[in-house]
Amino acid sequence: MDEIFDTFLLSYDDGLISDEELLLLQDYLCISPNRHSNFPYRDYNPFDSENLDELTCKVEFRFDKQDIPRLQEALQFPEMISIPHATDCPGLEALCILLKRFAYPVRYCDMVPMFGRSVPELCKITQYAINHIYNNHGFRLQSWNQPFLSPENLESYANAIHVKGSPLLTCFGFIDGTVRLICKPGVNQRIIYNGHKRLHAIKFQSICIPNGLIANLSGPWGELALF
């Protein structure tokens, strides 16, 4: 497979293929369904969180090493998870796979050396972790009836904002939003086409409070759904 990619690079140097074509060919080699069973994941050692240093955890997962087990407990990940058509996976490893996937745009084939698992396994474990968090904790972003939104806490948030210079006495949070790019759909493109950004995307709108938490999250919305 390395020889094939070297051929692509030579073709690129000779001007026979463009930048986009080179990237597409590289993606095909890594994540095409025909490559899943052939990717040499068995050449790598199984994931061992104990051997990770602090810098690796911070860079790869965006969490300190000591905080990852605490996060596992807070998110109620079990010690061992069993996924149909995949090998069993420790809960801590499943959480690390999710953190790695979300820390920065990365392909599953790029995660194989770290976790020593096949691309289909990594995909299934990631989907399990996403569903687990959403099913068990999604209500925290959708319901206003939360301990951190008690009347006493709301008053403290409003006081903190007022102390920073706000003339308002009852403002406890700030509206924030984000635009997430998506692939161009085959039909009804106008629903999700963002004329300002000139791309296809969905939007999320949230309310952020002074302690850094998202108090409430709304979305996803298409462009026309906002009017």
Side-chain angles (χ1 to χ4, degrees):
M1 193 57 62
D2 292 338
E3 292 80 2
I4 296 177
F5 189 65
D6 289 340
T7 302
F8 292 158
L9 291 177
L10 291 174
S11 300
Y12 175 75
D13 290 336
D14 293 338
L16 299 178
I17 59 176
S18 64
D19 296 347
E20 293 79 6
E21 291 170 332
L22 178 63
L23 292 175
L24 288 173
L25 289 170
Q26 182 179 5
D27 286 343
Y28 175 80
L29 288 177
C30 286
I31 62 176
S32 168
N34 295 329
R35 288 279 296 142
H36 286 170
S37 59
N38 297 326
F39 201 90
Y41 65 94
R42 292 186 178 89
D43 295 343
Y44 301 98
N45 295 324
F47 178 74
D48 185 4
S49 60
E50 295 298 328
N51 290 331
L52 296 177
D53 55 55
E54 292 288 348
L55 180 60
T56 299
C57 290
K58 196 70 173 180
V59 172
E60 299 291 345
F61 308 133
R62 294 191 179 182
F63 278 88
D64 293 329
K65 184 177 181 177
Q66 63 182 3
D67 291 335
I68 296 179
R70 297 173 58 191
L71 184 62
Q72 178 191 4
E73 181 180 357
L75 294 177
Q76 301 173 339
F77 271 74
E79 289 298 321
M80 185 67 65
I81 62 176
S82 180
I83 303 174
H85 309 295
T87 59
D88 292 344
C89 177
L92 183 63
E93 181 180 354
L95 176 59
C96 289
I97 290 174
L98 180 69
L99 295 177
K100 170 66 176 177
R101 176 70 170 171
F102 283 176
Y104 190 79
V106 63
R107 298 168 299 180
Y108 287 117
C109 63
D110 299 326
M111 299 166 59
V112 170
M114 172 173 286
F115 297 99
R117 293 182 178 272
S118 65
V119 170
E121 277 189 309
L122 292 172
C123 181
K124 291 176 182 178
I125 293 172
T126 301
Q127 193 60 50
Y128 169 89
I130 293 173
N131 291 336
H132 173 82
I133 294 176
Y134 179 79
N135 293 334
N136 291 279
H137 304 283
F139 70 94
R140 302 183 189 279
L141 294 177
Q142 300 167 353
S143 172
W144 290 100
N145 187 21
Q146 303 294 337
F148 57 86
L149 294 177
S150 64
E152 295 79 11
N153 286 335
L154 292 178
E155 184 177 356
S156 67
Y157 301 152
N159 290 336
I161 294 174
H162 179 67
V163 168
K164 285 296 185 178
S166 171
L168 302 176
L169 299 177
T170 56
C171 175
F172 67 88
F174 301 92
I175 296 176
D176 191 15
T178 182
V179 176
R180 308 301 297 176
L181 308 186
I182 64 172
C183 297
K184 181 170 64 175
V187 294
N188 297 329
Q189 296 186 26
R190 185 167 177 265
I191 296 178
I192 56 174
Y193 181 74
N194 189 306
H196 174 64
K197 301 290 185 179
R198 297 184 181 277
L199 43 80
H200 294 84
I202 54 177
K203 292 183 177 181
F204 292 87
Q205 185 167 283
S206 63
I207 296 180
C208 300
I209 49 182
N211 61 6
L213 296 178
I214 294 178
N216 193 266
L217 180 68
S218 178
W221 302 103
E223 186 68 16
L224 294 183
L226 297 178
F227 298 96

